[in-house]
Amino acid sequence: NKGKYEHYMQKEIHEQPESLTTTMRGRLIRGGSCKAKTVLLGGLKDHLKTIRRSRRIVFVGCGTSYNAALAARSIVEELSGIPVTMEIASDLVDRQGPIYREDTAVFVSQSGETADTLLALEYALENGALCVGITNTVGSAIARHTHCGVHINAGCEIGVASTKAYTSQIVVMAMLALAIGADTLSNQARREAIIDGLFYLPRKVKEVLKLDKEMKDLAKLLIAEQSLLVFGRGYNYATALEGALKVKEVALMHSEGILAGEMKHGPLALVDENLPIVVIATRDSCFSKQQSVIQQLHARKGRLIVMCAEGDKASVSVGGSSRVIEVPHVVDCLQPVINVVPLQLLAYHLTVLRGYNVDQPRNLAKSVTTQ
Ligand code: UD1
Ligand code: M6R
């Protein structure tokens, strides 16, 4: 049931304040004055000791689920102190890459039925790793075959383009980081700041959704373009990849997410006064580097659309030529949840304006159960 919405993708984008609330329900514990705030992931509590002892955490997924894991990678590394590596499921299987008994392998999948991810799971089980699932579908193959896991509880997702599952996956993996790091005293203030951020997150997502009209106007400007680049780094490299994936799969427009640190190693050659480029420059430890990326793109006459935190417009504007999208600021590791929303809206509006099928893009299936 689409309710007041025209398409499922639109509905699912707009219901993110609620889906995120459901994802966190019963899992965030706000202590009293002297009790620490903490998270409780029922499905993992008996396995946390084993996870903490593992030599490595390997995130495995495809498409949007891979991007969500990439968004959470650095907070998991920071709070757990365990190295985290990333695997695209098909590539892990193609390479028969090394997976050991001392590894915790985390399988991220909205449907829980993706063939590539399932094959990678079988492979990791054979190699003796602890296998953890993060899925939206109770009773799915991945939920059944993993040793333990977390249901993201985002509610049924119907649009082929994953939107609300992406933001809920990131939140679950941030909670996973908090749970693994929960016995480390030195991290306590940081953990509490993130838990506070989680409490406020649905409200901030509601705020960022108010950019709907602005993103529709931007889509009108970009309707006839051939290509769109999205530059991000740090926590928001994943946002760049995910924004580009959305534009590509539903609006059928070529789009590429680019790690801004790689700009001078090739992509800069593409920059001219015609090619639109989104630069994500919200506040985190990479902000000044992104300011310099903006300067350099501007110096090559790049057609820039800059995403920055509210109040930062002046700090990211160059010569009045760039367009600026201001988004609410949240704690750095949760900022990807906010930043992806305008890009989801942009992809949605571009698709509708270009007259393509939003919920069923050509050639794609919601659940990819073949290799
Ligand atoms: C569980 C209940 C929830 C109830 C809550 C109350 C289910 C599905 N969930 O939620 O309805 O409100 O207790 O305490 O009955 N699992 C995997 N692989 C996966 C995902 C999950 O093995 O990919 C396992 C978990 O390890 C766990 C079980 O499935 O044993 C349920 O996981 P989850 O729903 O996340 O647990 P709770 O949040 O505790
Ligand atoms: O169900 P899964 O999360 O395992 O699906 C993985 C990908 O097929 C999926 O995310 C795909 O990239 C989406 N269509 C992206 O919107």
Side-chain angles (χ1 to χ4, degrees), residues 21 41 63 70 73 77 89 108 141 151 158 161 193 207 218 255 351 357:
T21 302
L41 296 172
L70 186 64
R73 176 190 198 173
E77 279 181 335
V108 187
H151 290 115
I158 292 168
E207 272 177 47
L218 179 61
S255 186
T351 311
N357 190 329

mmCIF file of all heavy atoms in Angstrom, residues 21 41 63 70 73 77 89 108 141 151 158 161 193 207 218 255 351 357:
data_model
loop_
_atom_site.group_PDB
_atom_site.id
_atom_site.type_symbol
_atom_site.label_atom_id
_atom_site.label_comp_id
_atom_site.label_asym_id
_atom_site.label_seq_id
_atom_site.Cartn_x
_atom_site.Cartn_y
_atom_site.Cartn_z
ATOM 1 N N THR A 21 13.432 4.558 13.649
ATOM 2 C CA THR A 21 12.936 4.421 15.018
ATOM 3 C C THR A 21 12.677 2.942 15.327
ATOM 4 O O THR A 21 13.047 2.445 16.398
ATOM 5 C CB THR A 21 11.634 5.255 15.195
ATOM 6 O OG1 THR A 21 11.940 6.599 14.868
ATOM 7 C CG2 THR A 21 11.098 5.179 16.610
ATOM 8 N N LEU A 41 21.901 -5.628 21.601
ATOM 9 C CA LEU A 41 21.503 -6.355 20.391
ATOM 10 C C LEU A 41 21.279 -7.795 20.816
ATOM 11 O O LEU A 41 22.240 -8.557 21.015
ATOM 12 C CB LEU A 41 22.590 -6.233 19.311
ATOM 13 C CG LEU A 41 22.826 -4.805 18.790
ATOM 14 C CD1 LEU A 41 24.038 -4.729 17.880
ATOM 15 C CD2 LEU A 41 21.579 -4.270 18.067
ATOM 16 N N GLY A 63 26.035 -4.426 -3.748
ATOM 17 C CA GLY A 63 25.259 -3.212 -4.019
ATOM 18 C C GLY A 63 25.136 -2.310 -2.806
ATOM 19 O O GLY A 63 26.118 -2.001 -2.118
ATOM 20 N N LEU A 70 30.396 -0.274 4.136
ATOM 21 C CA LEU A 70 31.532 0.642 3.932
ATOM 22 C C LEU A 70 31.346 1.919 4.762
ATOM 23 O O LEU A 70 32.300 2.463 5.328
ATOM 24 C CB LEU A 70 31.647 0.979 2.440
ATOM 25 C CG LEU A 70 32.854 1.812 2.014
ATOM 26 C CD1 LEU A 70 34.155 1.051 2.260
ATOM 27 C CD2 LEU A 70 32.743 2.196 0.538
ATOM 28 N N ARG A 73 32.309 1.059 8.300
ATOM 29 C CA ARG A 73 33.611 0.433 8.512
ATOM 30 C C ARG A 73 34.472 1.160 9.548
ATOM 31 O O ARG A 73 34.996 0.548 10.478
ATOM 32 C CB ARG A 73 34.369 0.401 7.181
ATOM 33 C CG ARG A 73 35.752 -0.142 7.312
ATOM 34 C CD ARG A 73 36.540 0.081 6.046
ATOM 35 N NE ARG A 73 37.699 -0.798 5.996
ATOM 36 C CZ ARG A 73 38.491 -0.914 4.958
ATOM 37 N NH1 ARG A 73 38.253 -0.225 3.867
ATOM 38 N NH2 ARG A 73 39.531 -1.720 4.996
ATOM 39 N N GLU A 77 35.924 -0.075 13.214
ATOM 40 C CA GLU A 77 37.368 -0.153 13.508
ATOM 41 C C GLU A 77 37.726 0.671 14.735
ATOM 42 O O GLU A 77 38.444 0.213 15.625
ATOM 43 C CB GLU A 77 38.178 0.368 12.305
ATOM 44 C CG GLU A 77 38.338 -0.649 11.216
ATOM 45 C CD GLU A 77 39.149 -0.155 10.022
ATOM 46 O OE1 GLU A 77 39.205 1.076 9.788
ATOM 47 O OE2 GLU A 77 39.706 -0.995 9.315
ATOM 48 N N ALA A 89 30.588 -9.635 -2.266
ATOM 49 C CA ALA A 89 30.376 -11.078 -2.128
ATOM 50 C C ALA A 89 30.885 -11.869 -3.336
ATOM 51 O O ALA A 89 31.603 -12.865 -3.180
ATOM 52 C CB ALA A 89 28.893 -11.351 -1.890
ATOM 53 N N VAL A 108 25.789 -8.736 5.053
ATOM 54 C CA VAL A 108 24.781 -7.687 5.071
ATOM 55 C C VAL A 108 23.888 -7.856 3.844
ATOM 56 O O VAL A 108 24.379 -7.883 2.710
ATOM 57 C CB VAL A 108 25.449 -6.289 5.061
ATOM 58 C CG1 VAL A 108 24.407 -5.196 5.264
ATOM 59 C CG2 VAL A 108 26.543 -6.208 6.127
ATOM 60 N N ALA A 141 17.199 -16.922 4.042
ATOM 61 C CA ALA A 141 18.295 -17.894 4.004
ATOM 62 C C ALA A 141 19.505 -17.391 4.811
ATOM 63 O O ALA A 141 20.114 -18.152 5.560
ATOM 64 C CB ALA A 141 18.682 -18.159 2.555
ATOM 65 N N HIS A 151 18.387 -8.444 13.048
ATOM 66 C CA HIS A 151 17.383 -8.023 12.068
ATOM 67 C C HIS A 151 17.301 -6.505 12.107
ATOM 68 O O HIS A 151 17.207 -5.925 13.196
ATOM 69 C CB HIS A 151 16.023 -8.642 12.418
ATOM 70 C CG HIS A 151 15.991 -10.119 12.194
ATOM 71 N ND1 HIS A 151 15.842 -11.023 13.227
ATOM 72 C CD2 HIS A 151 16.110 -10.855 11.061
ATOM 73 C CE1 HIS A 151 15.877 -12.252 12.728
ATOM 74 N NE2 HIS A 151 16.041 -12.178 11.423
ATOM 75 N N ILE A 158 9.850 -2.453 -0.831
ATOM 76 C CA ILE A 158 9.295 -2.950 -2.100
ATOM 77 C C ILE A 158 10.022 -2.375 -3.322
ATOM 78 O O ILE A 158 10.290 -3.090 -4.283
ATOM 79 C CB ILE A 158 7.776 -2.672 -2.152
ATOM 80 C CG1 ILE A 158 7.098 -3.557 -1.093
ATOM 81 C CG2 ILE A 158 7.193 -2.963 -3.535
ATOM 82 C CD1 ILE A 158 5.676 -3.231 -0.797
ATOM 83 N N ALA A 161 15.082 -0.097 -5.756
ATOM 84 C CA ALA A 161 16.173 0.711 -5.206
ATOM 85 C C ALA A 161 16.067 0.700 -3.678
ATOM 86 O O ALA A 161 15.055 1.101 -3.111
ATOM 87 C CB ALA A 161 16.080 2.127 -5.721
ATOM 88 N N ALA A 193 28.302 9.840 23.064
ATOM 89 C CA ALA A 193 27.955 10.878 22.071
ATOM 90 C C ALA A 193 27.244 10.231 20.879
ATOM 91 O O ALA A 193 26.289 10.795 20.319
ATOM 92 C CB ALA A 193 29.217 11.608 21.616
ATOM 93 N N GLU A 207 14.063 16.370 9.300
ATOM 94 C CA GLU A 207 14.473 17.704 8.831
ATOM 95 C C GLU A 207 15.049 17.652 7.424
ATOM 96 O O GLU A 207 14.724 18.481 6.573
ATOM 97 C CB GLU A 207 15.561 18.272 9.751
ATOM 98 C CG GLU A 207 15.052 19.030 10.926
ATOM 99 C CD GLU A 207 16.206 19.486 11.810
ATOM 100 O OE1 GLU A 207 17.207 20.020 11.281
ATOM 101 O OE2 GLU A 207 16.119 19.263 13.043
ATOM 102 N N LEU A 218 16.578 20.734 -8.389
ATOM 103 C CA LEU A 218 17.906 20.347 -8.889
ATOM 104 C C LEU A 218 17.758 19.286 -9.981
ATOM 105 O O LEU A 218 18.445 19.333 -11.016
ATOM 106 C CB LEU A 218 18.757 19.826 -7.716
ATOM 107 C CG LEU A 218 20.165 19.367 -8.057
ATOM 108 C CD1 LEU A 218 20.993 20.502 -8.646
ATOM 109 C CD2 LEU A 218 20.872 18.825 -6.801
ATOM 110 N N SER A 255 26.476 7.505 -13.522
ATOM 111 C CA SER A 255 26.898 8.245 -12.336
ATOM 112 C C SER A 255 27.975 7.450 -11.638
ATOM 113 O O SER A 255 27.949 6.218 -11.615
ATOM 114 C CB SER A 255 25.698 8.475 -11.416
ATOM 115 O OG SER A 255 26.080 9.309 -10.347
ATOM 116 N N THR A 351 14.248 10.391 -11.950
ATOM 117 C CA THR A 351 13.597 9.250 -12.603
ATOM 118 C C THR A 351 12.193 9.614 -13.063
ATOM 119 O O THR A 351 11.807 9.348 -14.203
ATOM 120 C CB THR A 351 13.516 8.061 -11.622
ATOM 121 O OG1 THR A 351 14.809 7.884 -11.047
ATOM 122 C CG2 THR A 351 13.086 6.792 -12.321
ATOM 123 N N ASN A 357 10.483 4.034 -15.018
ATOM 124 C CA ASN A 357 9.806 3.288 -13.959
ATOM 125 C C ASN A 357 10.631 3.344 -12.666
ATOM 126 O O ASN A 357 11.740 2.813 -12.601
ATOM 127 C CB ASN A 357 9.626 1.837 -14.433
ATOM 128 C CG ASN A 357 8.723 1.049 -13.512
ATOM 129 O OD1 ASN A 357 8.685 1.312 -12.303
ATOM 130 N ND2 ASN A 357 8.000 0.098 -14.054
#
